Amino acid sequence: HVQLVESGGGSVQAGGSLRLACTAPGYMYTRNCLGWFRRNQGTERTGVAAIYTGDGTTHYGESVKGRFTISKDSAQNTLYLQMNSLKPEDTTTYYCAAAFACGVSWSNPQIFSYWGLGTQVTVS
C-alpha cells in the first residue's frame, strides 16, 4: 500500500504564500511522476503542477504559471508546491499524486495511481 501524505495547508490572505509538502515512498523519486491536483467546483480534480523525477521536467497549469513552483527533495522523500501571490480562487483542497510517467497527459488524474487525502488551502 502506497501512502502519500500532504501537509502545509492553511488560511492566508490574498497575495500571500503557502508551501505544501507531500511525503511519498523513496522509490517514487526515481523515474516517476509526482503531481499536485486541486478540486474544482464540483468533484473533478484539476492538474496544478507535476514533475518527472527522472529528469526534473516540470509542468504547470495555466492558472498557476509564474505563481506556483513544484520541486522535490529526494533525500527527504518530499514533494513541495510553493504557492505565491495566492488568490481567493485558489481556495480548495490540494492533493498530491503519483504516476509512472508524465508527459502531455500530466494533468489527467486518471493516469495517477496513488493519491493523498488532501490538504485544505483557504485564501481570503
Side-chain angles (χ1 to χ4, degrees), residues 33 50 52 57 59 101-108 111:
C33 184
Y52 178 60
T57 299
H59 308 273
C102 283
V104 294
S105 300
W106 73 269
S107 62
N108 181 357
I111 71 169

Side-chain angles (χ1 to χ4, degrees), residues 32-117:
N32 280 281
C33 184
L34 300 176
W36 289 98
F37 286 76
R38 63 187 183 186
R39 191 176 293 279
N40 277 348
Q41 294 180 356
T43 60
E44 184 178 354
R45 296 182 184 184
T46 300
V48 175
I51 184 168
Y52 178 60
T53 59
D55 61 9
T57 299
T58 57
H59 308 273
Y60 293 94
E62 286 298 321
S63 63
V64 306
K65 280 183 180 178
R67 299 190 299 125
F68 291 10
T69 302
I70 189 170
S71 63
K72 62 179 178 68
D73 184 336
S74 300
Q76 299 295 324
N77 294 346
T78 304
L79 176 74
Y80 297 103
L81 184 68
Q82 178 67 43
M83 304 187 296
N84 298 329
S85 302
L86 282 162
K87 305 175 182 180
E89 52 263 43
D90 295 318
T91 295
T92 189
T93 303
Y94 286 73
Y95 302 86
C96 72
F100 294 108
C102 283
V104 294
S105 300
W106 73 269
S107 62
N108 181 357
Q110 294 185 4
I111 71 169
F112 287 79
S113 301
Y114 306 105
W115 293 85
L117 296 180

Side-chain angles (χ1 to χ4, degrees), residues 2-4 24-34 53 97-99 114:
V2 176
Q3 187 172 15
L4 307 179
Y27 67 85
M28 288 191 169
Y29 291 84
T30 55
R31 294 190 291 179
N32 280 281
C33 184
L34 300 176
T53 59
Y114 306 105

Side-chain angles (χ1 to χ4, degrees), residues 5-12 17-22 36 79-81 83 86 94 118-122:
V5 181
E6 303 96 338
S7 62
S11 298
V12 65
S17 298
L18 283 173
R19 187 176 76 160
L20 305 183
C22 172
W36 289 98
L79 176 74
Y80 297 103
L81 184 68
M83 304 187 296
L86 282 162
Y94 286 73
T119 185
Q120 177 67 32
V121 170
T122 302

